[in-house]
Amino acid sequence: MSETIVGVDLGGTKTQVAAAHDAVLVTNETRPSMDWVQVPWSDAAKWLAATLDDVVPGWRSASQLVVGAHGCDSIAQIEQLRMPLQAMTRAACEVVNDAELVIPASG
């Protein structure tokens, strides 16, 4: 069975989106994110969905979506971003604070 995984590092100044299909990197794009606003989180989810629609058109049918988002500092904030994203995709969706991506990214 094939698998597509989409990962997002959503920071205050830039957003990096990477997608892999069957463990092969197919997309790796960085864009400015200065117009992204966290509050309300539902608007942040819409902004991210529009970005993903542009960068990874098939993201809604991916196997997994993982987002590290600047400003997700509490469980409530994480859920406020995760829930609308989850409603837009069939993927298993996980959201963490973007700082949690530093150690895994360093190898």
Side-chain angles (χ1 to χ4, degrees):
M1 175 161 68
S2 66
E3 180 177 62
T4 300
I5 300 170
V6 178
V8 181
D9 180 0
L10 178 51
T13 58
K14 68 177 178 65
T15 298
Q16 183 170 0
V17 177
H21 182 72
D22 292 336
V24 176
L25 185 66
V26 294
T27 302
N28 188 5
E29 186 172 322
T30 302
R31 293 182 168 200
S33 56
M34 295 193 255
D35 58 341
W36 176 70
V37 292
Q38 300 146 313
V39 180
W41 287 102
S42 57
D43 286 353
K46 289 175 190 171
W47 182 93
L48 181 52
T51 299
L52 289 170
D53 284 340
D54 192 41
V55 178
V56 186
W59 75 275
R60 294 173 192 266
S61 61
S63 309
Q64 295 181 332
L65 172 64
V66 179
V67 178
H70 173 74
C72 280
D73 298 321
S74 69
I75 293 171
Q77 292 168 328
I78 286 169
E79 285 301 299
Q80 287 171 14
L81 181 58
R82 188 194 67 76
M83 288 173 48
L85 287 172
Q86 184 67 71
M88 296 179 209
T89 180
R90 290 183 280 165
C93 183
E94 182 174 354
V95 175
V96 298
N97 182 283
D98 64 334
E100 292 187 44
L101 302 178
V102 173
I103 291 175
S106 68

